[in-house]
Amino acid sequence: MTLPLTKERLQSLRRRLLQDKSDTERRARENGHFGLTNSYRDATGDLSSNDNHPADAGTEMFERGKDIALLENEAFRLERIEAALERMDTGEYGRCAACGRFIPAERLEALPTAIYCLEHEPR
């Protein structure tokens, strides 16, 4: 049987989550939304929106898709961090959302945003 987290370990995880939240928010602010604020035309200095080569448009579309996926990943990460902090505030942190048993401290150390024990992890 897994025991609940100690207060010290819980505080350590809270500090880690708060630091991760701060880092994630800073990255989203400072990186120009993973390049979404730039366009290929701006980077190359072209005066026209007409590309010199048909592959340029494909490259730009690929880059935009990648940038959007990275931005969505950061947003998802931030949501998970905020949900973990909320569970800490309500006293639900460290309990599996499926079965209610305590999640092992080792799992929470490795993945502080975990909401399921290993047995009930959907992935």
Side-chain angles (χ1 to χ4, degrees), residues 22-80:
S22 174
D23 292 345
T24 303
E25 290 171 337
R26 181 184 45 76
R27 266 194 315 273
R29 256 192 335 270
E30 294 178 358
N31 69 9
H33 293 7
F34 293 98
L36 283 174
T37 57
N38 301 328
S39 75
Y40 179 78
R41 183 173 30 126
D42 295 339
T44 61
D46 289 345
L47 299 175
S48 169
S49 62
N50 296 330
D51 292 318
N52 293 329
H53 192 279
D56 291 344
T59 299
E60 180 148 358
M61 290 300 294
F62 170 79
E63 289 297 323
R64 295 308 116 212
K66 179 187 66 147
D67 297 340
I68 290 169
L70 289 170
L71 194 58
E72 287 175 349
N73 187 47
E74 288 293 299
F76 178 70
R77 180 180 180 82
L78 194 55
E79 285 175 15
R80 296 221 22 179

